Amino acid sequence: MTLTGLQEGVDRILEGGGSDEEILQGVVEALEQLIEHYSWVGIYLVDGDDLVLGPWRGPQATEHVRIPLGQGVCGAAAASGETEVVDDVNADPRYLACFPSTRSEIVVPIFDEGRVVGEIDIDSDRAAAFGENDRAVLERIALQIGPHCRFGVGTD
């Protein structure tokens, strides 16, 4: 499927309603199922000074269910509020190894009311798998799901 088709699928999930958890799970499933080069997809939610794994989909669970802000590629994206694209995870010392098959990663911060409330984390078994189209569509989806990530935000 194309990234345009993915965006349409996510739009349908959001229009269909449901609980925040159901919407986020639906988005994760759509991302992993509809785009061939996305091998693992998860949404991390900000909880205090940590990222906590929320809905995910892939061949197996990651051991990284809680990541301090600023640690690894995920923590860096959450701390900076900037999308991180890693073409070769073996060449990036920040990468927290999850799966031996992962070759590249994209992490897109999710904002709500001007602050980072989570992020979309996607691994690929292909090197340099993520281009500008992936980034643009994922950043748009991240903006759309921001209001559905409030339940994961801890109190300060």
Side-chain angles (χ1 to χ4, degrees):
M1 173 167 284
T2 65
L3 289 168
T4 302
L6 170 64
Q7 181 64 66
E8 291 168 357
V10 169
D11 289 346
R12 281 192 297 277
I13 291 165
L14 291 165
E15 291 164 6
S19 71
D20 290 338
E21 293 90 344
E22 290 168 335
I23 288 170
L24 294 180
Q25 185 65 49
V27 169
V28 164
E29 290 175 7
L31 289 167
E32 194 271 336
Q33 290 176 357
L34 300 177
I35 305 298
E36 182 183 342
H37 63 277
Y38 294 4
S39 56
W40 189 92
V41 177
I43 292 179
Y44 283 88
L45 301 167
V46 174
D47 182 18
D49 292 330
D50 292 327
L51 292 165
V52 177
L53 183 61
W56 66 273
R57 182 150 175 134
Q60 64 191 48
T62 176
E63 65 184 69
H64 301 288
V65 296
R66 192 170 207 63
I67 301 171
L69 295 178
Q71 184 177 328
V73 177
C74 287
S80 71
E82 298 290 327
T83 296
E84 293 276 348
V85 178
V86 179
D87 289 336
D88 179 0
V89 296
N90 295 317
D92 192 321
R94 302 172 303 165
Y95 177 67
L96 301 175
C98 295
F99 312 109
S101 60
T102 300
R103 305 294 300 145
S104 59
E105 179 179 35
I106 187 169
V107 182
V108 180
I110 301 169
F111 289 89
D112 185 49
E113 297 181 357
R115 68 182 201 163
V116 175
V117 294
E119 62 190 23
I120 301 169
D121 178 23
I122 302 177
D123 292 354
S124 180
D125 295 344
R126 300 179 190 173
F130 306 104
E132 284 304 312
N133 289 337
D134 294 276
R135 180 186 195 123
V137 169
L138 292 169
E139 286 178 349
R140 180 168 181 236
I141 290 169
L143 286 172
Q144 291 177 285
I145 64 174
H148 301 284
C149 294
R150 290 184 190 141
F151 71 94
V153 179
T155 56
D156 294 321

